[in-house]
Amino acid sequence: MITLNIEKTFGFISEKAINAYETQAKTAREALENGTGKGNDFLGWLHLPSSITTTFLADIEATAHILRENCEVVVIAGIGGSYLGARAVIEALSNSFTRLQEDKKNPAIVYAGHNIGEDYLYELTEYLKNKKFGVINISKSGTTTETALAFRLLKKQCEDQRGKEMAKKVIVAITDAKKGAARITADNEGYKSFIIPDNVGGRFSVLTPVGLLPIAVAGFDIEKLVAGATDMEEACGVNVPFARNPAAIYAAARNELYKNGRKIEILVNYNPKLHYVSEWWKQLYGESEGKENKGIFPAAVDFSTDLHSMGQWIQEGERTIFETVISVEKTNHTLSVPSDEANLDGLNFLAGKRVDEVNKMAELGTQIAHIDGGVPNIRIVIPALNEYNIGQILYFFEIGCGISGYILGVNPFDQPGVEAYKKNMFALLNKPGYEEESKAIQSKL
Ligand code: PA5
């Protein structure tokens, strides 16, 4: 199991103060369980892992098989909650160098629909030229501009390159059961489609087809991923006492830190494969808690890379931060430092040591330095990067977020703030129906 250690926050906040959250955390956890809290129509994720059936997984696997058999490349088109979970898992488990190439069994995975970069989309269409590619089009609303725009390009290119019949086979839609343009297109074209449940918001959807299909296409074991999440669901169950519920303790510690002026939580990893786990976590906590003019700002760094950039700020900048470190206990490969006769770099003292030993000492040294520099430290240890453990960490952060948001007093399941930019963008682009907004925004230019 993954483990949580909050002892290195005790010099900054007291253990007693954290334990004092027991009742609040219990109330929050029960509100999730009983559906009595804010946003209670979006709790479909709570018992999702344990309710996933083998028949459902088999359907996902069968579709993944069709895509794997017929594609060299699969484009995952989606944004925010319709993209980050899949990318987080795929990048955590993939080879860092070969994930852009198909191998004997699995297609290469690339992403689109998460930006409006013309150069990005141009380069993507160039990359896909003459390749047998497929598309997984993911959008709960089915109307998100970034994704719809990319899909329009991808659909045309796929049909032009592969013919309409094959395109039907290798384009899959994951969207609402009834509404939205993605649903209408899927039904009209006869694409295989999966449903995003109404009661699961985007950022909590990684264990629905939104995450599971891309992860399966990339060749990873979704059964193990779900098993890990299910075990964490049990470990954070409503009847688990506060002292043994890692998500409740995490939620309590971060709320107490926030109360004590720690406005920024930095998620730290020492394994570059976890970069997108941090991106997924940033969305989960940022969108869930950043409202009503409150909420911890979720930031992330990749160490030791960012020790050479953000390290200075973290060590000596304003003391409004705390760190949550994800530490991977065991690497999946071994590599030792070679000896060098000339020893011009002076590194022979490391000869024969594992690279990971050096990394672990960087981690320990940094932890001590940052605590000495006034940065509280929460530590989450993952035994190794595999599907089972990643499943655990995904669910741990989801339930931790639900409890934490309720302790903070916000609705962790809505995101009213993300509409503001869309309204302005549509007004500036003269979208039909936005005439009034267009006039209003012109006066601000
Ligand atoms: O968490 C969320 O709700 C958002 O990040 C959405 O997932 C994102 O905006 C994409 O929306 P949709 O799936 O409707 O295209």
Side-chain angles (χ1 to χ4, degrees), residues 51-364:
S51 61
I52 291 175
T53 62
T54 43
T55 318
F56 172 77
L57 289 181
D59 188 19
I60 301 244
E61 283 293 1
T63 306
H65 182 75
I66 293 173
L67 289 171
R68 282 205 296 264
E69 288 284 291
N70 292 285
C71 303
E72 296 163 331
V73 181
V74 172
V75 187
I76 314 295
I79 193 168
S82 290
Y83 142 81
L84 284 165
R87 189 163 192 175
V89 177
I90 292 168
E91 300 221 351
L93 299 174
S94 296
N95 180 301
S96 312
F97 299 96
T98 58
R99 65 175 173 239
L100 276 181
Q101 298 151 224
E102 78 274 19
D103 57 29
K104 284 195 183 71
K105 284 192 296 200
N106 306 306
I109 303 290
V110 297
Y111 303 89
H114 59 292
N115 63 45
I116 325 176
E118 185 160 342
D119 286 341
Y120 184 93
L121 287 168
Y122 174 85
E123 286 162 15
L124 175 66
T125 52
E126 283 296 299
Y127 166 78
L128 293 173
K129 260 187 197 156
N130 304 319
K131 289 199 169 68
K132 291 182 191 155
F133 78 91
V135 185
I136 305 178
N137 185 34
I138 311 173
S139 179
K140 189 175 182 197
S141 63
T143 55
T144 300
T145 311
E146 289 87 341
T147 307
L149 197 154
F151 183 66
R152 185 181 271 227
L153 290 163
L154 291 165
K155 177 178 183 288
K156 183 174 182 322
Q157 187 173 358
C158 189
E159 287 171 352
D160 289 350
Q161 267 175 225
R162 308 201 66 183
K164 265 221 151 209
E165 277 318 300
M166 182 50 95
K168 273 185 195 173
K169 207 169 168 180
V170 296
I171 296 178
V172 178
I174 305 177
T175 187
D176 187 85
K178 295 193 193 87
K179 51 182 197 301
R183 165 55 54 203
I184 297 166
T185 310
D187 290 347
N188 287 352
E189 299 285 349
Y191 300 150
K192 168 76 181 169
S193 68
F194 290 93
I195 291 166
I196 308 176
D198 273 347
N199 60 355
V200 181
R203 57 190 177 275
F204 288 87
S205 70
V206 58
L207 296 169
T208 71
V210 169
L212 295 179
L213 181 64
I215 294 163
V217 171
F220 300 112
D221 190 332
I222 51 174
E223 209 176 310
K224 288 192 180 132
L225 186 85
V226 171
T230 307
D231 286 351
M232 188 52 75
E233 181 188 324
E234 203 185 319
C236 302
V238 69
N239 294 322
V240 177
F242 176 75
R244 283 199 278 118
N245 183 333
I249 295 170
Y250 175 58
R254 62 197 300 283
N255 271 283
E256 180 59 14
L257 286 160
Y258 181 59
K259 214 169 91 188
N260 282 271
R262 304 291 169 161
K263 308 281 185 199
I264 301 164
E265 177 175 7
I266 306 178
L267 194 71
V268 177
N269 69 69
Y270 286 82
N271 187 323
K273 287 176 192 278
L274 290 174
H275 179 84
Y276 273 91
V277 168
S278 298
E279 293 301 308
W280 170 83
W281 170 89
K282 271 164 44 183
Q283 186 202 359
L284 182 62
Y285 281 79
E287 239 177 32
S288 299
E289 293 193 322
K291 50 198 67 160
E292 299 174 29
N293 295 328
K294 51 187 179 180
I296 294 171
F297 182 84
V301 289
D302 301 323
F303 284 169
S304 66
T305 311
D306 293 331
L307 283 171
H308 297 258
S309 55
M310 293 305 291
Q312 171 60 36
W313 199 105
I314 294 169
Q315 189 69 46
E316 294 182 346
E318 200 182 353
R319 302 297 73 185
T320 46
I321 56 172
F322 67 99
E323 288 180 317
T324 297
V325 176
I326 303 182
S327 180
V328 182
E329 203 165 23
K330 263 187 157 182
T331 58
N332 287 330
H333 305 284
T334 58
L335 188 66
S336 297
V337 180
S339 175
D340 184 273
E341 210 177 314
N343 193 28
L344 293 176
D345 53 14
L347 286 186
N348 270 356
F349 72 103
L350 295 177
K353 285 196 196 307
R354 293 265 310 279
V355 172
D356 194 52
E357 197 178 332
V358 182
N359 200 26
K360 289 288 187 300
M361 290 310 111
E363 183 179 330
L364 184 58

